Amino acid sequence: MSGKVIHDTIHGSMKIDGVILDLVKTPEFQRLRNIRQLGLAYLVYPGANHTRFEHSLGAWQTAKRLASELELGDEGVVLEVGALLHDIGHGPFSHTFETIYKHYTAEHDHMRLGQEIVLGKTDITDGNGGGRIPEILEGYGIEPREVADLILGKSGEPYLGQALHGDVDVDQLDYLRRDAHYTGVAHGIIDLERLLKVLTIHNGELVVEEKGIEAVEGMMVARSLMYSRVYFHHTVKIAEGMLTRALEFAMEEGHLWDFWKMIDCRVLVELEDLEGLPAEMVRRIKYRELYKAAVLAGADELSPDEKRELLTAYRNVKRRQEIERALADAVGAREGEVILDFSIADLMLSEPRLKATEINVLMEDGRLEPLTKVTPLANALKRRQTPRWAVLIASPERYVEAIRGSWRRVLFG
């Protein structure tokens, strides 16, 4: 028997061969075994130890099935490869460090890195046998540029980009089910079989047939609830904030500038070796001695001016660090002992699709209507605040009460 069979928790037995098997064997893809899909969420959900490796295989399997349903032919192979490699550029702990990529390593976010890896412009394995992906693709008659563009959601055919980076796409169809399974949170359960049957191509774009509206509604509810319950659980965000501050501190001191090439355990070891704040943060994370939430304020508790001020601070790492230092000074804490997070801006960076409900519906009479016109649920989900908190301020427990009494004065004067 040619090829290999991989037994997956979500999709069952998956047979891989040809270009997919050759790509899975590369050091770049094997590296994903060492990057947790949900970053530090395992500190809240102990089962959340699954990796980008599993998810990437799951996205490929979903793409393969969708390509078959849509009868895509050769284009289907490009979609399969794009789905397999869509996360190839992820750094350690997945989205945890997303907020500091732009400030410290402007050219390296995981999407752009993925594109560069596929084109052979960057070796994320640091000379450990990487760099063969473009050669493998060309050997199978696949143009690396086509795959690289698809990873960024671009394609000559709109429906291909939408299938990987759309309102209903193979990436989400895998991660919602997978993350629900490993966290034990039932909210992420979606009707995959139905969704694959009701997606179709109309005038060059990916649309959903009218009879599939309920399946899409179910997926969007699942997505919204998983963001509230898992991805933006305040304890998960506190842990991620602590590790991010440790890395920022290290980089300000001239260390770990190539963190984006590392795997999870390597970052922890390197930070621990630096002693001081980075080592303390890693120790706290290892033994789950996390900071406590001093402030969890909803968007309705903030004025438009206050939201603008926080958004500005979030876009500018230096400004956010200044606010954190001012809060620490106000309560007698050390630098790094106060963390500020602003979920609305974070969502814009990590998951712009969350508020996207614009997939078109192919009505039975042949008209195309946006989903928001066909179902009130889509509009309701757009308005739903995800997560419930907009501002999170965390610190060691001894400073919590003092921060609660002073944060507005320090932040907004």
Side-chain angles (χ1 to χ4, degrees), residues 238 241-242 245 281 291 324 336-341 392-394:
I238 289 169
M242 291 170 68
R245 300 317 180 269
M281 290 297 202
Y291 289 177
E324 288 176 340
E337 287 192 314
V338 178
I339 289 169
L340 170 68
D341 201 350
L392 164 64
I393 303 174

Side-chain angles (χ1 to χ4, degrees), residues 9-189:
T9 314
I10 304 302
H11 299 286
S13 296
M14 308 183 299
K15 184 180 178 184
I16 60 170
D17 53 19
V19 64
I20 300 300
L21 179 56
D22 285 352
L23 290 169
V24 167
K25 287 178 178 177
T26 61
E28 290 93 337
F29 196 81
Q30 292 295 318
R31 172 182 169 274
L32 298 178
R33 290 181 184 272
N34 303 287
I35 295 174
R36 279 190 174 95
Q37 170 79 2
L38 294 184
L40 294 167
Y42 68 92
L43 292 170
V44 176
Y45 300 99
N49 285 301
H50 56 303
T51 66
R52 289 277 153 186
F53 180 87
E54 298 154 64
H55 163 58
S56 296
L57 282 168
W60 159 73
Q61 176 70 3
T62 309
K64 182 181 179 184
R65 293 189 60 193
L66 180 61
S68 174
E69 292 287 347
L70 298 176
E71 299 178 347
L72 290 184
D74 289 345
E75 286 178 329
V77 179
V78 176
L79 176 60
E80 286 183 44
V81 170
L84 185 79
L85 300 180
H86 79 284
D87 277 345
I88 201 80
H90 256 296
F93 294 103
S94 293
H95 288 289
T96 297
F97 300 129
E98 206 82 42
T99 54
I100 61 173
Y101 271 102
K102 274 195 173 137
H103 182 75
Y104 290 99
T105 58
E107 71 280 19
H108 297 308
D109 64 70
H110 81 271
M111 302 271 282
R112 192 75 51 192
L113 260 172
Q115 187 180 48
E116 290 182 5
I117 292 164
V118 168
L119 294 174
K121 293 181 177 177
T122 295
D123 180 7
I124 204 166
T125 70
D126 257 348
N128 288 308
R132 287 194 56 242
I133 287 177
E135 177 190 325
I136 291 168
L137 293 175
E138 286 165 353
Y140 283 92
I142 300 166
E143 176 54 52
R145 170 57 66 182
E146 201 176 346
V147 176
D149 286 347
L150 185 56
I151 284 174
L152 290 184
K154 301 179 204 162
S155 173
E157 300 292 352
Y159 55 81
L160 277 185
Q162 291 164 336
L164 187 54
H165 289 288
D167 300 340
V168 181
D169 60 36
V170 298
D171 178 22
Q172 295 178 84
L173 292 178
D174 181 77
Y175 79 61
L176 286 171
R177 294 176 78 212
R178 191 171 298 278
D179 295 349
H181 175 85
Y182 282 103
T183 57
V185 173
H187 296 316
I189 295 168

Side-chain angles (χ1 to χ4, degrees), residues 100 103-104 245 248-249 252 313 316-326 335:
I100 61 173
H103 182 75
Y104 290 99
R245 300 317 180 269
E248 284 177 4
F249 192 91
E252 295 285 352
N316 183 331
V317 168
K318 286 287 180 200
R319 176 72 187 122
R320 192 250 302 145
Q321 289 170 340
E322 285 168 13
I323 293 172
E324 288 176 340
R325 276 195 290 271
E335 183 177 354

Side-chain angles (χ1 to χ4, degrees), residues 101-320:
Y101 271 102
K102 274 195 173 137
H103 182 75
Y104 290 99
T105 58
E107 71 280 19
H108 297 308
D109 64 70
H110 81 271
M111 302 271 282
R112 192 75 51 192
L113 260 172
Q115 187 180 48
E116 290 182 5
I117 292 164
V118 168
L119 294 174
K121 293 181 177 177
T122 295
D123 180 7
I124 204 166
T125 70
D126 257 348
N128 288 308
R132 287 194 56 242
I133 287 177
E135 177 190 325
I136 291 168
L137 293 175
E138 286 165 353
Y140 283 92
I142 300 166
E143 176 54 52
R145 170 57 66 182
E146 201 176 346
V147 176
D149 286 347
L150 185 56
I151 284 174
L152 290 184
K154 301 179 204 162
S155 173
E157 300 292 352
Y159 55 81
L160 277 185
Q162 291 164 336
L164 187 54
H165 289 288
D167 300 340
V168 181
D169 60 36
V170 298
D171 178 22
Q172 295 178 84
L173 292 178
D174 181 77
Y175 79 61
L176 286 171
R177 294 176 78 212
R178 191 171 298 278
D179 295 349
H181 175 85
Y182 282 103
T183 57
V185 173
H187 296 316
I189 295 168
I190 60 173
D191 191 349
L192 176 66
E193 301 304 318
R194 181 69 172 160
L195 285 163
L196 290 173
K197 296 286 185 193
V198 297
L199 289 170
T200 190
I201 296 168
H202 181 77
N203 291 340
E205 68 171 298
L206 191 66
V207 300
V208 62
E209 295 171 358
E210 185 178 1
K211 64 186 179 184
I213 288 171
E214 290 82 3
V216 175
E217 286 178 325
M219 192 207 94
M220 288 178 172
V221 169
R223 182 175 65 182
S224 186
L225 293 175
M226 285 294 283
Y227 269 86
S228 297
R229 182 84 187 277
V230 178
Y231 309 138
F232 274 74
H233 189 292
H234 69 272
T235 307
V236 174
K237 297 309 287 184
I238 289 169
E240 289 179 353
M242 291 170 68
L243 196 56
T244 299
R245 300 317 180 269
L247 182 59
E248 284 177 4
F249 192 91
M251 294 176 83
E252 295 285 352
E253 298 290 310
H255 306 289
L256 268 73
W257 276 84
D258 59 348
F259 77 89
W260 50 272
K261 290 184 178 180
M262 296 179 184
I263 57 177
D264 293 4
C265 60
R266 173 85 185 275
V267 166
L268 294 179
V269 169
E270 295 275 352
L271 287 171
E272 199 165 26
D273 282 350
L274 293 177
E275 300 181 346
L277 177 76
E280 183 189 334
M281 290 297 202
V282 170
R283 185 192 62 77
R284 279 178 167 273
I285 286 163
K286 276 168 69 174
Y287 301 110
R288 206 184 181 282
E289 296 170 8
L290 304 179
Y291 289 177
K292 302 297 181 188
V295 176
L296 283 170
D300 54 355
E301 298 174 57
L302 301 169
S303 71
D305 285 345
E306 288 171 342
K307 285 179 191 166
R308 271 192 293 275
E309 167 68 22
L310 284 165
L311 197 53
T312 302
Y314 205 86
R315 286 180 175 147
N316 183 331
V317 168
K318 286 287 180 200
R319 176 72 187 122
R320 192 250 302 145

